[in-house]
mmCIF file of all heavy atoms in Angstrom:
data_model
loop_
_atom_site.group_PDB
_atom_site.id
_atom_site.type_symbol
_atom_site.label_atom_id
_atom_site.label_comp_id
_atom_site.label_asym_id
_atom_site.label_seq_id
_atom_site.Cartn_x
_atom_site.Cartn_y
_atom_site.Cartn_z
ATOM 1 N N CYS A 80 349.137 -82.059 50.834
ATOM 2 C CA CYS A 80 349.580 -82.230 49.444
ATOM 3 C C CYS A 80 350.936 -81.580 49.256
ATOM 4 O O CYS A 80 351.514 -81.033 50.189
ATOM 5 C CB CYS A 80 348.546 -81.667 48.474
ATOM 6 S SG CYS A 80 348.509 -79.867 48.448
ATOM 7 N N THR A 82 351.646 -78.881 47.827
ATOM 8 C CA THR A 82 351.594 -77.447 48.138
ATOM 9 C C THR A 82 351.877 -77.231 49.621
ATOM 10 O O THR A 82 352.636 -76.325 49.994
ATOM 11 C CB THR A 82 350.203 -76.871 47.766
ATOM 12 O OG1 THR A 82 349.978 -77.093 46.382
ATOM 13 C CG2 THR A 82 350.103 -75.390 48.072
ATOM 14 N N HIS A 105 344.086 -76.966 53.104
ATOM 15 C CA HIS A 105 343.082 -76.485 52.140
ATOM 16 C C HIS A 105 342.272 -77.634 51.546
ATOM 17 O O HIS A 105 341.392 -77.410 50.750
ATOM 18 C CB HIS A 105 343.745 -75.650 51.045
ATOM 19 C CG HIS A 105 344.782 -76.396 50.254
ATOM 20 N ND1 HIS A 105 346.082 -76.534 50.694
ATOM 21 C CD2 HIS A 105 344.710 -77.048 49.088
ATOM 22 C CE1 HIS A 105 346.756 -77.239 49.808
ATOM 23 N NE2 HIS A 105 345.954 -77.578 48.821
ATOM 24 N N VAL A 129 338.814 -73.208 48.145
ATOM 25 C CA VAL A 129 340.103 -72.728 48.667
ATOM 26 C C VAL A 129 340.251 -71.222 48.457
ATOM 27 O O VAL A 129 340.689 -70.495 49.343
ATOM 28 C CB VAL A 129 341.259 -73.459 47.940
ATOM 29 C CG1 VAL A 129 342.613 -72.933 48.399
ATOM 30 C CG2 VAL A 129 341.158 -74.965 48.165
ATOM 31 N N ARG A 130 339.855 -70.755 47.277
ATOM 32 C CA ARG A 130 340.184 -69.376 46.902
ATOM 33 C C ARG A 130 339.078 -68.390 47.259
ATOM 34 O O ARG A 130 337.896 -68.730 47.194
ATOM 35 C CB ARG A 130 340.473 -69.320 45.393
ATOM 36 C CG ARG A 130 341.171 -68.058 44.981
ATOM 37 C CD ARG A 130 341.615 -68.077 43.554
ATOM 38 N NE ARG A 130 342.883 -68.792 43.365
ATOM 39 C CZ ARG A 130 343.601 -68.720 42.253
ATOM 40 N NH1 ARG A 130 343.165 -67.998 41.226
ATOM 41 N NH2 ARG A 130 344.735 -69.383 42.138
ATOM 42 N N GLU A 155 343.917 -67.359 49.371
ATOM 43 C CA GLU A 155 343.593 -68.792 49.419
ATOM 44 C C GLU A 155 343.696 -69.269 50.849
ATOM 45 O O GLU A 155 344.710 -69.018 51.517
ATOM 46 C CB GLU A 155 344.525 -69.599 48.505
ATOM 47 C CG GLU A 155 344.224 -69.372 47.043
ATOM 48 C CD GLU A 155 345.012 -70.269 46.091
ATOM 49 O OE1 GLU A 155 346.043 -70.829 46.508
ATOM 50 O OE2 GLU A 155 344.588 -70.408 44.931
ATOM 51 N N ILE A 158 346.890 -70.966 52.361
ATOM 52 C CA ILE A 158 348.016 -70.778 51.424
ATOM 53 C C ILE A 158 348.422 -69.298 51.354
ATOM 54 O O ILE A 158 349.540 -68.939 51.700
ATOM 55 C CB ILE A 158 347.655 -71.309 50.009
ATOM 56 C CG1 ILE A 158 347.239 -72.784 50.072
ATOM 57 C CG2 ILE A 158 348.853 -71.138 49.053
ATOM 58 C CD1 ILE A 158 346.712 -73.369 48.773
ATOM 59 N N PHE A 159 347.485 -68.459 50.931
ATOM 60 C CA PHE A 159 347.802 -67.045 50.731
ATOM 61 C C PHE A 159 346.882 -66.149 51.558
ATOM 62 O O PHE A 159 345.746 -65.878 51.164
ATOM 63 C CB PHE A 159 347.668 -66.652 49.258
ATOM 64 C CG PHE A 159 348.631 -67.343 48.340
ATOM 65 C CD1 PHE A 159 348.167 -68.164 47.322
ATOM 66 C CD2 PHE A 159 350.004 -67.169 48.476
ATOM 67 C CE1 PHE A 159 349.048 -68.799 46.463
ATOM 68 C CE2 PHE A 159 350.895 -67.806 47.625
ATOM 69 C CZ PHE A 159 350.419 -68.628 46.611
ATOM 70 N N GLU A 191 338.498 -81.699 46.893
ATOM 71 C CA GLU A 191 339.246 -80.506 46.462
ATOM 72 C C GLU A 191 340.263 -80.858 45.377
ATOM 73 O O GLU A 191 340.247 -80.244 44.303
ATOM 74 C CB GLU A 191 339.896 -79.808 47.661
ATOM 75 C CG GLU A 191 340.348 -78.378 47.346
ATOM 76 C CD GLU A 191 341.673 -78.255 46.607
ATOM 77 O OE1 GLU A 191 342.520 -79.156 46.736
ATOM 78 O OE2 GLU A 191 341.877 -77.269 45.896
ATOM 79 N N VAL A 195 340.297 -79.722 41.065
ATOM 80 C CA VAL A 195 341.408 -79.213 40.248
ATOM 81 C C VAL A 195 341.521 -80.046 38.963
ATOM 82 O O VAL A 195 341.732 -79.520 37.861
ATOM 83 C CB VAL A 195 342.722 -79.260 41.069
ATOM 84 C CG1 VAL A 195 343.935 -78.965 40.204
ATOM 85 C CG2 VAL A 195 342.638 -78.293 42.248
ATOM 86 N N VAL A 323 344.903 -73.893 37.274
ATOM 87 C CA VAL A 323 345.070 -73.854 38.728
ATOM 88 C C VAL A 323 343.711 -73.709 39.401
ATOM 89 O O VAL A 323 342.798 -73.128 38.828
ATOM 90 C CB VAL A 323 345.995 -72.672 39.143
ATOM 91 C CG1 VAL A 323 345.336 -71.320 38.903
ATOM 92 C CG2 VAL A 323 346.440 -72.780 40.601
ATOM 93 N N ASN A 324 343.599 -74.310 40.583
ATOM 94 C CA ASN A 324 342.412 -74.108 41.404
ATOM 95 C C ASN A 324 341.167 -74.612 40.654
ATOM 96 O O ASN A 324 341.287 -75.372 39.694
ATOM 97 C CB ASN A 324 342.338 -72.605 41.770
ATOM 98 C CG ASN A 324 341.481 -72.317 42.965
ATOM 99 O OD1 ASN A 324 340.412 -71.745 42.827
ATOM 100 N ND2 ASN A 324 341.933 -72.708 44.131
HETATM 101 C C1 BGC B 18 345.367 -76.242 45.505
HETATM 102 C C2 BGC B 18 344.699 -75.165 44.698
HETATM 103 C C3 BGC B 18 345.481 -73.880 44.822
HETATM 104 C C4 BGC B 18 346.925 -74.147 44.414
HETATM 105 C C5 BGC B 18 347.802 -72.915 44.405
HETATM 106 C C6 BGC B 18 346.820 -76.383 45.142
HETATM 107 O O1 BGC B 18 347.444 -77.302 45.994
HETATM 108 O O2 BGC B 18 344.734 -77.483 45.301
HETATM 109 O O3 BGC B 18 343.368 -74.987 45.130
HETATM 110 O O4 BGC B 18 344.908 -72.884 44.008
HETATM 111 O O5 BGC B 18 347.464 -75.130 45.255
HETATM 112 O O6 BGC B 18 347.880 -72.245 45.600
#
Side-chain angles (χ1 to χ4, degrees):
C80 73
T82 301
H105 60 277
V129 177
R130 196 172 278 194
E155 288 187 341
I158 303 173
F159 296 118
E191 196 280 333
V195 171
V323 69
N324 200 250

